[in-house]
Amino acid sequence: MKILVCISQVPDTSTKIVLKNNNTSVNSDGVTYVINPYDEWYALIRAIELKESGIATEIHLITVGKADVEPVIRKALALGGDEAVRIDAESNDPYETAHYIAEYAAGVGYDLILCGKESIDYNNGTTGAMLAELLDLDYIGFATGISIEANTAVINREIEGGEETDACNLPLVISCQKGVAEARIPNMRGIMAARTRPLKIITPSGITAVAEILSYELPPAKAGIKLVSPDDMDELVQLLHTEAKVI
Amino acid sequence: MSVIVLVEHTGGIIKKQSFEAVQYAAQIAGKMGTTVTAVALGSVAEAEMENLGQYGAQKVLHVADSRLDELHSRAYAGALIAAAQKENSKVIVTLHDIKGRAVAPRVAVKLKAGLVAGALSFPDTEKGFVIKKAVFSGKAFAYINILSDVKVIMLMPNTFPAKKEEGKAIVEQLDVSFSEKDFGVKVKSVNKVTGEVPLADAELVVSGGRGLKGPENWGILEDLAKELGAATACSRPVADSHWRPHHEHVGQTGGTVRPNLYIAVGISGAIQHLAGVNGSKTIVVINKDPEAPFFKAANYGVVGDALEILPRLTAAVKKFKEHHQ
């Protein structure tokens, strides 16, 4: 069973966002880039667990980006995975990203495609479902548990106000969130081994863009906090009613 | 040419957030000089659908197939596309939620449509079709211009509160032929936490962190939540220590909430936690450490011991409610 894990490079959570070029782009100077947490902690680790338990035979990692994303894909390889693919393109539109990944995946044929529930940079959470459509596969989003029995995946997924258990024949696409896997960190052996694993670079066929980012803006600074005496909760309730108008 | 909007329901009752989506679509339609057609899937009561007229829908296309009571992303996308084709629609609206995120991306790909996920504004048609959305987990906003002829918009819930007006929508049945493949996902079991407000939908959230010292103190937080009619949530360490169930964890790796009011009790406000809550309209922080970073992101703050303050706040809310019946 072959698994493809989609990996996205994102600025570390603690990054302070600085804009440049008249607010048309985000300044990457001094930014630490990491594997998107949902892709790493849940999608990738679950794939590794499935391989360790003998269910999966091969794990491939895929990312869309220029050469500067290679350290991050190498880090993902250090956690586990047999080979990585970098689609040599720059894209921050999910439609474009999904097309590139689908183009490659269709040529290989995977039993399971895993991605994180969303990336922490563009917060779309749409690539997985787009991939499923492009590859004519089933899709389950917001998974909190994945097990494989023969040719069937059994998935726990979040629903509004609870959880649902679904079953679906492979192949399919699943987006993963908390609950899917147990966290782990790469060990030295993994880091050394990752250096020798293949990293393929693929030039995609171009597609016509359907959306573009025109500009960015930073949220206005908070107006400052109003402190209320711990002995006067009536005042807090009044403020929430008359000023904030939330109760 | 009408604007199409997918409405969601729970057990046949249309979700409040769908009223927001219908009204949002109605405003876009008004600008475009066209009308709104809502699409309802599965077993929904006629009166519920007619009431969508109160939020600006002229028509509801109802695909009554009861298999659609469960989420099947292929079938949902097929139904939405059939409706869009029938109406010759150029704009399709869903919510940016669990169902919307399973369906809208499929529709976008199928129709070669640009998509904005988590829309926070109406499209600005001065320079194209430009919509604002939050990026970097709320630390910035991006303005996305959709270039394609057909546009898909996933509206962030709780962005534009819906206001009921007079109106009644016409309900039409829409027959869509599905294939076996459209129902490839089999639902084995559903486990709903009854009597609780789903966190993602909650307008009011009371959230606890390690400052509550232990699960035995959660009762006083729940008392406040009950008095307010709020959902309860928690920080990551609390979920990791199994004081609270994992689905209550909000933050970078847990859930995201966008309530009108978020009361954080005994939570220091690490950046990972803020990423899950910074869409809240008003934030109240109760913490005994005046240096807690959360105070910088809050509108109102109370410095003191949560275990003493919570019962006082609950009593104050109760008193307020009695005077404002």
Side-chain angles (χ1 to χ4, degrees), chain B residues 169-247:
Chain B
I170 299 157
V171 180
E172 274 181 31
Q173 296 302 314
L174 177 68
D175 282 325
V176 181
S177 57
F178 296 111
S179 72
E180 213 36 52
K181 210 161 71 168
D182 289 326
F183 299 94
V185 175
K186 308 288 178 225
V187 179
K188 294 280 176 202
S189 66
V190 175
N191 178 16
K192 280 225 173 189
V193 186
T194 49
E196 280 187 34
V197 187
L199 254 184
D201 293 354
E203 287 180 18
L204 307 168
V205 175
V206 181
S207 187
R210 268 184 304 195
L212 279 161
K213 298 190 177 69
E216 68 281 2
N217 294 323
W218 232 259
I220 55 170
L221 185 132
E222 284 175 329
D223 290 345
L224 174 62
K226 222 171 273 161
E227 203 56 62
L228 282 167
T232 55
C234 68
S235 65
R236 183 173 175 193
V238 165
D240 286 352
S241 314
H242 305 294
W243 297 358
R244 299 297 295 171
H246 272 293
H247 71 259

Side-chain angles (χ1 to χ4, degrees), chain A residues 172-194:
Chain A
L172 85 157
V173 181
I174 304 175
S175 88
C176 305
Q177 62 170 344
K178 189 173 182 165
V180 159
E182 291 293 328
R184 61 174 74 189
I185 45 173
N187 57 29
M188 193 42 100
R189 211 175 56 182
I191 293 166
M192 299 308 284

Side-chain angles (χ1 to χ4, degrees), chain B:
Chain B
M1 279 295 281
S2 69
V3 174
I4 288 280
V5 54
L6 173 68
V7 295
E8 296 180 29
H9 62 93
T10 312
I13 306 295
I14 291 172
K15 265 175 63 163
K16 180 178 69 76
Q17 287 80 4
S18 285
F19 300 149
E20 295 169 15
V22 170
Q23 205 154 62
Y24 175 82
Q27 292 215 30
I28 296 174
K31 262 191 173 175
M32 292 167 62
T34 179
T35 58
V36 169
T37 300
V39 179
L41 308 177
S43 321
V44 197
E46 191 87 5
E48 280 283 310
M49 293 189 281
E50 286 175 349
N51 285 344
L52 290 171
Q54 297 169 337
Y55 300 94
Q58 281 76 12
K59 185 158 79 173
V60 181
L61 290 175
H62 181 211
V63 187
D65 193 323
S66 65
R67 291 176 297 178
L68 301 174
D69 292 344
E70 296 168 344
L71 171 62
H72 293 276
S73 64
R74 286 186 201 251
Y76 273 49
L80 212 49
I81 289 164
Q85 281 165 344
K86 182 179 186 304
E87 299 289 306
N88 187 24
S89 302
K90 299 293 180 209
V91 177
I92 297 164
V93 177
T94 73
L95 285 167
H96 183 77
D97 62 357
I98 291 175
K99 281 185 181 161
R101 293 214 266 189
V103 180
R106 282 190 177 272
V107 172
V109 164
K110 199 89 169 173
L111 300 179
K112 295 188 167 42
L115 160 154
V116 173
L120 295 173
S121 74
F122 289 98
D124 177 351
T125 48
E126 292 284 303
K127 293 189 221 112
F129 197 90
V130 184
I131 296 175
K132 177 183 178 179
K133 79 177 295 272
V135 290
F136 302 105
S137 304
K139 285 190 288 189
F141 300 103
Y143 289 86
I144 313 243
N145 183 27
I146 300 182
L147 303 162
S148 51
D149 179 37
V150 179
K151 285 113 176 139
V152 176
I153 308 172
M154 299 160 72
L155 173 68
M156 188 62 94
N158 204 14
T159 302
F160 300 107
K163 290 185 198 72
K164 204 190 261 194
E165 285 167 17
E166 286 299 306
K168 191 173 168 183
I170 299 157
V171 180
E172 274 181 31
Q173 296 302 314
L174 177 68
D175 282 325
V176 181
S177 57
F178 296 111
S179 72
E180 213 36 52
K181 210 161 71 168
D182 289 326
F183 299 94
V185 175
K186 308 288 178 225
V187 179
K188 294 280 176 202
S189 66
V190 175
N191 178 16
K192 280 225 173 189
V193 186
T194 49
E196 280 187 34
V197 187
L199 254 184
D201 293 354
E203 287 180 18
L204 307 168
V205 175
V206 181
S207 187
R210 268 184 304 195
L212 279 161
K213 298 190 177 69
E216 68 281 2
N217 294 323
W218 232 259
I220 55 170
L221 185 132
E222 284 175 329
D223 290 345
L224 174 62
K226 222 171 273 161
E227 203 56 62
L228 282 167
T232 55
C234 68
S235 65
R236 183 173 175 193
V238 165
D240 286 352
S241 314
H242 305 294
W243 297 358
R244 299 297 295 171
H246 272 293
H247 71 259
E248 286 199 4
H249 160 205
V250 293
Q252 182 79 85
T253 51
T256 303
V257 293
R258 301 186 77 258
N260 295 334
L261 173 63
Y262 186 79
I263 302 180
V265 185
I267 301 175
S268 64
I271 195 136
Q272 289 81 354
H273 186 76
L274 294 185
V277 307
N278 59 16
S280 310
K281 292 191 177 68
T282 299
I283 294 177
V284 175
V285 170
I286 300 170
N287 201 304
K288 68 172 190 284
D289 174 13
E291 298 300 313
F294 216 154
F295 283 119
K296 288 193 179 63
N299 305 85
Y300 303 99
V302 185
V303 180
D305 184 348
L307 301 183
E308 290 171 16
I309 292 167
L310 271 177
R312 279 184 221 149
L313 180 53
T314 306
V317 170
K318 194 172 177 164
K319 195 163 82 183
F320 168 85
K321 291 253 156 133
E322 282 162 4
H323 284 101
H324 291 80
Q325 285 299 347

